[in-house]
Amino acid sequence: GENANKRAVQLRALLDEAPALAEQVTAARWIGNRRWNLEFKTGETLELPEGKTEAATALVKFARMEGINRLLGRDIINFDMRDPRFMYLRRTPKAEPQSAKKDEPATKKDKASEG
């Protein structure tokens, strides 16, 4: 995002709060000139709240949950921690099941050509 390069020191300090997660981060996006989204090797995105303290608190909380529950590398694609009271998850969309084609009844046109 805009001015992200000017925030590299801030990002490094943030990632230092959760070193076990830091090594799994492949990209960081500065969103709206106010907050970070972190992307992990496993493809998920973590949306952090605005503010240095709030973002660090959320990242440490996520690191603890990851350590206990192994959240990364599952069927979740997005973790939204912008609201300090909740973590919202978005799962990978499931593929639509392929319905078996049933024999459709012959139409009048098909019946006429049969005879």
Side-chain angles (χ1 to χ4, degrees):
E2 190 174 323
N3 297 318
N5 57 335
K6 297 176 184 176
R7 303 279 183 173
V9 173
Q10 177 189 356
L11 176 61
R12 183 75 258 159
L14 175 64
L15 293 175
D16 286 346
E17 294 289 328
L21 279 181
E23 62 190 35
Q24 297 180 55
V25 173
T26 58
R29 291 204 168 104
W30 183 237
I31 306 295
N33 206 27
R34 58 189 170 82
R35 64 174 197 81
W36 292 102
N37 279 1
L38 303 178
E39 295 179 18
F40 296 98
K41 291 178 184 176
T42 48
E44 299 90 350
T45 299
L46 172 61
E47 297 181 34
L48 294 172
E50 293 182 53
K52 291 178 185 177
T53 303
E54 294 83 352
T57 300
L59 184 61
V60 168
K61 186 176 182 180
F62 183 79
R64 286 186 188 131
M65 288 188 282
E66 163 60 15
I68 294 169
N69 300 307
R70 299 290 175 216
L71 301 171
L72 298 174
R74 300 175 92 178
D75 66 340
I76 300 168
I77 58 173
N78 193 73
F79 302 94
D80 185 344
M81 295 189 73
R82 292 176 290 171
D83 183 337
R85 300 169 298 162
F86 303 102
M87 178 169 64
Y88 298 93
L89 309 174
R90 187 169 60 209
R91 297 183 132 197
T92 305
K94 294 189 177 185
E96 290 291 322
Q98 295 287 333
S99 60
K101 288 188 176 182
K102 295 181 181 180
D103 291 334
E104 296 179 18
T107 63
K108 290 181 182 180
K109 182 179 179 183
D110 291 335
K111 287 182 181 179
S113 62
E114 290 177 0

